[in-house]
Amino acid sequence: FKFHFMGALEVLSKKAVDVFLENADECGKHLGHNGGEDFFTMQCLDAIKVGHMTDFSLLDDKYTHGKGWHLFDVDSCEDQAIVAFHPYKAVNSWVGCHKVAMKEVTPHDFVGCVHRWHGDACSLTSGREHGNDPQPSSGVIGGPKAWR
């Protein structure tokens, strides 16, 4: 994140996209393709003088949390000020985060992360356990076995 552009969310205006697309081939000739699409896009936009601003409040990226975060934790999905959450790469954690963000469930409906089974979404602030729920599950106590 040292470049303040690489990550899970970049928001561009229509004009910025139009200018980028007009110049992408030329950028490719001069900038190369090392570093991924986000780094290439940042370098190209800088080279063609498309300005930018940084707003770190839009994205909750677990990789920036430091110690104590959990890949399957859905707690931060409750924050209505956030527009995107990263990373949620497993189906149950992605759908769990979506359902928390949409207020269909709360993080406390989920099993605690210390008690989760493989594949479960979970909550770091929940102390709930599976009890008699069969494996595998979505992580929601008494909820569906898995979301698809």
Side-chain angles (χ1 to χ4, degrees):
F1 308 107
K2 71 179 185 178
F3 299 110
H4 296 189
F5 194 83
M6 299 174 72
L9 179 67
E10 290 86 30
V11 179
L12 302 172
S13 69
K14 181 184 180 321
K15 179 69 174 168
V17 171
D18 290 343
V19 173
F20 172 76
L21 292 175
E22 289 169 12
N23 292 279
D25 288 340
E26 196 65 24
C27 286
K29 291 177 190 173
H30 297 284
L31 298 176
H33 300 281
N34 298 327
E37 82 286 347
D38 44 8
F39 188 65
F40 173 82
T41 302
M42 179 196 71
Q43 286 187 315
C44 184
L45 291 171
D46 285 347
I48 58 178
K49 306 291 188 230
V50 172
H52 72 277
M53 61 179 132
T54 302
D55 185 347
F56 293 110
S57 70
L58 298 174
L59 172 68
D60 180 70
D61 194 318
K62 291 180 183 181
Y63 293 139
T64 65
H65 287 193
K67 287 186 174 187
W69 65 274
H70 192 285
L71 190 59
F72 293 88
D73 174 40
V74 297
D75 286 351
S76 65
C77 304
E78 204 168 32
D79 187 341
Q80 296 294 298
I82 303 295
V83 300
F85 304 92
H86 185 258
Y88 287 90
K89 298 181 182 197
V91 172
N92 281 341
S93 62
W94 188 95
V95 174
C97 183
H98 180 264
K99 289 188 176 294
V100 169
M102 299 305 292
K103 298 183 178 186
E104 294 175 27
V105 295
T106 70
H108 292 288
D109 293 325
F110 288 81
V111 67
C113 291
V114 296
H115 303 293
R116 68 178 283 276
W117 290 327
H118 179 76
D120 283 353
C122 64
S123 168
L124 282 170
T125 58
S126 172
R128 297 186 78 176
E129 298 182 33
H130 279 288
N132 295 327
D133 284 351
Q135 276 186 304
S137 78
S138 61
V140 173
I141 302 299
K145 288 186 178 180
W147 286 306
R148 288 181 175 71

